[in-house]
Amino acid sequence: MKNLRMFKRLCGTESLASVVLATTFWDNGPDFPKYLQRENELKTKDDFWRGMIQNQSKVFRQDSGRISATRIIEYLVQRDRGSTRNRPILDIQRQMVDEMTPLDKTGAGQEVQVWLTQQREAYERKLAQMRVEWEQALQERDKEWQRDLKRNTQEIEAKIKRDEEDKNRLRADNAALHQEQEELLRARAKQIADELEHERALQQQNAQELQKAIDAGEEHRKRLEIQKKKYQQLVNYRCTVM
């Protein structure tokens, strides 16, 4: 159940249409009606696949070895072939990339936080009960009971420590991802700035070349004007002589 909730959080509702729910270990023996009942339970109960199927997840039976496996793969390939519009974008991708949401604030991250909190509360209840039993074991001077309680307490405390380390790793991963995103953004900003600077330099170079061409054209026009005047003077002179 926890893994299924996490999967839904990772995918998001819009991506469930690209999900295949495959059942395995089918046979035609005497337990076949039980398999059908279990499949129907998975497909119709809200705690299992009902909501996913309503969002177009597809149920397959992996019951014929390579044949049914190929059928599943072909369905997934054909579904998105030739189009990028139907390709899924996971919720965690959208949240972390598009919305810049920290990992521990995403739907999946919050699901982990809830689970770790519930685990911690369950462990604390067990420890509280063991403390009561410890007092009773001391009163009864039951050494074996005391050893069992001590061993069980150490095991639970070790689990609490591991869960706390997992929570800290989640925060650390979040910080590392945030830093990585910032570095990527800085690198992209520098790339854009370099491209703009290159474009500005290119435009400036083109403007200079254009100005040179204009100046050269103006010089050529002036020379033509001078030649025209000289020619006109020569024509006028010849007319006067004649």
Side-chain angles (χ1 to χ4, degrees), residues 113-170:
Q113 299 272 20
V114 169
W115 181 79
L116 290 174
T117 300
Q118 291 174 344
Q119 283 286 96
R120 179 63 180 262
E121 291 173 351
Y123 291 148
E124 292 292 351
R125 287 193 296 270
K126 288 183 180 180
L127 288 175
Q129 178 62 33
M130 287 181 181
R131 283 191 286 269
V132 173
E133 294 180 7
W134 177 261
E135 293 297 329
Q136 186 176 351
L138 288 176
Q139 291 177 4
E140 297 180 8
R141 298 181 180 180
D142 190 329
K143 299 296 184 181
E144 184 176 356
W145 192 7
Q146 292 176 29
R147 284 194 297 270
D148 290 342
L149 287 171
K150 185 176 181 179
R151 183 179 64 255
N152 292 337
T153 299
Q154 290 173 343
E155 290 176 355
I156 292 177
E157 288 175 344
K159 291 178 180 178
I160 292 175
K161 183 179 179 180
R162 284 197 299 270
D163 286 351
E164 193 63 31
E165 289 173 351
D166 288 341
K167 188 179 292 187
N168 291 335
R169 273 196 297 270
L170 183 63

Side-chain angles (χ1 to χ4, degrees), residues 3-241:
N3 291 336
L4 186 59
R5 288 197 303 270
M6 175 61 71
F7 181 79
K8 292 177 182 178
R9 288 283 198 165
L10 287 169
C11 292
T13 302
E14 294 181 2
S15 298
L16 292 179
S18 298
V19 171
V20 162
L21 303 166
T23 55
T24 57
F25 298 105
W26 286 89
D27 64 52
N28 294 319
D31 291 332
F32 187 75
K34 293 182 180 179
Y35 301 154
L36 290 176
Q37 181 180 357
R38 177 56 176 166
E39 182 187 46
N40 184 65
E41 182 182 14
L42 291 171
K43 293 165 66 175
T44 57
K45 286 196 173 183
D46 290 332
D47 290 341
F48 295 111
W49 296 350
R50 182 172 180 269
M52 300 176 71
I53 294 171
Q54 288 176 338
N55 285 286
Q56 301 181 34
S57 294
K58 187 77 171 178
V59 178
F60 282 88
R61 292 179 184 176
Q62 169 56 9
D63 56 355
S64 303
R66 178 178 292 183
I67 295 175
S68 55
T70 302
R71 189 183 306 123
I72 294 171
I73 294 172
E74 287 178 346
Y75 165 77
L76 291 171
V77 172
Q78 291 293 335
R79 185 185 179 281
D80 295 332
R81 175 171 290 176
S83 173
T84 59
R85 291 180 301 173
N86 294 326
R87 293 179 184 174
I89 298 176
L90 304 182
D91 253 19
I92 194 166
Q93 292 175 306
R94 176 179 54 78
Q95 291 169 356
M96 295 190 67
V97 177
D98 297 339
E99 301 173 4
M100 299 293 290
T101 304
L103 176 59
D104 58 341
K105 302 298 182 184
T106 63
Q110 289 179 337
E111 188 67 33
V112 172
Q113 299 272 20
V114 169
W115 181 79
L116 290 174
T117 300
Q118 291 174 344
Q119 283 286 96
R120 179 63 180 262
E121 291 173 351
Y123 291 148
E124 292 292 351
R125 287 193 296 270
K126 288 183 180 180
L127 288 175
Q129 178 62 33
M130 287 181 181
R131 283 191 286 269
V132 173
E133 294 180 7
W134 177 261
E135 293 297 329
Q136 186 176 351
L138 288 176
Q139 291 177 4
E140 297 180 8
R141 298 181 180 180
D142 190 329
K143 299 296 184 181
E144 184 176 356
W145 192 7
Q146 292 176 29
R147 284 194 297 270
D148 290 342
L149 287 171
K150 185 176 181 179
R151 183 179 64 255
N152 292 337
T153 299
Q154 290 173 343
E155 290 176 355
I156 292 177
E157 288 175 344
K159 291 178 180 178
I160 292 175
K161 183 179 179 180
R162 284 197 299 270
D163 286 351
E164 193 63 31
E165 289 173 351
D166 288 341
K167 188 179 292 187
N168 291 335
R169 273 196 297 270
L170 183 63
R171 296 193 189 101
D173 290 344
N174 173 58
L177 284 170
H178 184 66
Q179 181 178 356
E180 182 179 352
Q181 286 178 330
E182 287 186 344
E183 290 174 354
L184 288 173
L185 287 174
R186 284 196 293 268
R188 180 56 179 160
K190 184 178 183 303
Q191 180 184 358
I192 292 174
D194 291 343
E195 290 174 354
L196 290 174
E197 179 61 25
H198 176 72
E199 183 67 21
R200 187 194 64 79
L202 187 61
Q203 289 178 354
Q204 185 176 6
Q205 180 182 352
N206 291 338
Q208 291 173 350
E209 291 177 355
L210 178 61
Q211 186 61 47
K212 288 180 181 179
I214 292 173
D215 293 342
E218 183 64 19
E219 287 294 326
H220 182 66
R221 187 190 65 78
K222 289 180 179 179
R223 286 196 298 270
L224 289 176
E225 188 68 27
I226 292 172
Q227 290 177 358
K228 181 180 178 181
K229 288 181 179 180
K230 289 181 178 180
Y231 177 76
Q232 188 64 42
Q233 290 173 355
L234 179 61
V235 170
N236 292 338
Y237 174 76
R238 287 180 178 178
C239 290
T240 302
V241 172

